[in-house]
Amino acid sequence: MKTIGRTTLILAALVAVSCGEKLDEVSQTIENAKTLAESANTMDAQQGAMEKRRSARRAAGDTLAMEPDKLKAFLPGAVDGYKASEPETQSFDMQGMSWSMASRTYTKDDNTSLKVTLTDYNASDAGWAGASAVFALKWSVDNANERQKTFQTGNDYIKGFERYGKQDHNASVTYSLGGRFLLQIEATGQSGTELVHSVATSMNLEKLASL
């Protein structure tokens, strides 16, 4: 990864100069590339920790996804101001791969809603790779339509991604937990991402990340 980082800086400088950028602009381009390279190094280390966690579970014989009825126990029983529906569960199983999912929808009288979905990819390396791809690097986007970014939590086994739609007022947050669980919280009619983060905080993310 260090070699890739140095190569990135060199290529950034060459491209900037070849495009006729001024010296200060070249410097900024190199700094941006350096930040990206450092982010890649950090994420690479965290991904390694996730893979070790998955390998340790397999070595201990923990190779199956959690039963959906057990998974739904982690969903919030209530959210202030919202009426909770009955949890919904689903599972998929085939040779060499399985996953389970539990979700619950919460509604208000003004027709706004909140949905929490928890998926266990313990027995699906391919499924986990696809679901966790968004967390691969530190990045952010902010424009007239939306604001989205990945974020760190201080726990290498818990990584997050949030999105807020400035036009549709939909908010969502997604957490990668312990190289196994994917938690998605989505809400309509929001002025920001405060609610979805609050619901996530009310759940025992550390426990999920440790399983």
Side-chain angles (χ1 to χ4, degrees):
M1 186 61 73
K2 290 182 179 179
T3 300
I4 294 175
R6 286 193 295 268
T7 301
T8 302
L9 297 180
I10 294 171
L11 289 175
L14 290 175
V15 170
V17 173
S18 66
C19 291
E21 294 188 21
K22 297 179 181 179
L23 194 57
D24 58 341
E25 294 173 336
V26 173
S27 178
Q28 184 60 56
T29 300
I30 294 175
E31 186 62 31
N32 291 342
K34 181 180 178 181
T35 299
L36 181 60
E38 290 173 348
S39 171
N41 286 337
T42 299
M43 292 297 180
D44 190 50
Q46 292 180 348
Q47 185 62 29
M50 293 287 190
E51 289 304 319
K52 287 181 180 180
R53 174 68 64 82
R54 290 182 67 86
S55 296
R57 284 198 296 266
R58 287 193 291 268
D62 184 2
T63 59
L64 300 178
M66 187 180 293
E67 294 179 7
D69 283 343
K70 292 182 179 179
L71 197 64
K72 71 181 182 182
F74 289 97
L75 301 176
V79 176
D80 287 346
Y82 288 80
K83 180 181 179 179
S85 66
E86 288 298 314
E88 298 181 358
T89 59
Q90 184 178 359
S91 63
F92 173 83
D93 192 7
M94 65 178 290
Q95 187 174 6
M97 180 173 63
S98 69
W99 53 261
S100 60
M101 181 181 72
S103 65
R104 196 168 195 175
T105 300
Y106 311 77
T107 57
K108 295 180 73 172
D109 292 338
D110 62 3
N111 292 323
T112 58
S113 64
L114 171 81
K115 185 175 182 179
V116 180
T117 304
L118 183 62
T119 306
D120 183 0
Y121 288 102
N122 190 42
S124 177
D125 289 339
W128 175 254
S132 62
V134 69
F135 307 101
L137 288 173
K138 181 180 179 181
W139 60 274
S140 65
V141 172
D142 194 344
N143 54 43
N145 296 315
E146 63 182 359
R147 181 176 68 249
Q148 53 182 323
K149 66 177 182 178
T150 55
F151 60 90
Q152 302 300 301
T153 64
N155 185 327
D156 286 347
Y157 297 106
I158 303 177
K159 295 187 289 185
F161 166 73
E162 68 172 42
R163 179 192 178 276
Y164 177 67
K166 298 178 181 180
Q167 304 299 323
D168 59 21
H169 304 292
N170 292 335
S172 66
V173 65
T174 304
Y175 284 90
S176 159
L177 303 168
R180 173 174 184 167
F181 298 103
L182 194 76
L183 172 64
Q184 297 170 291
I185 304 174
E186 307 163 281
T188 63
Q190 300 300 304
S191 59
T193 58
E194 291 80 11
L195 174 65
V196 290
H197 277 288
S198 176
V199 173
T201 300
S202 73
M203 300 175 67
N204 197 340
L205 301 188
E206 288 76 14
K207 181 177 180 178
L208 281 166
S210 70
L211 296 177

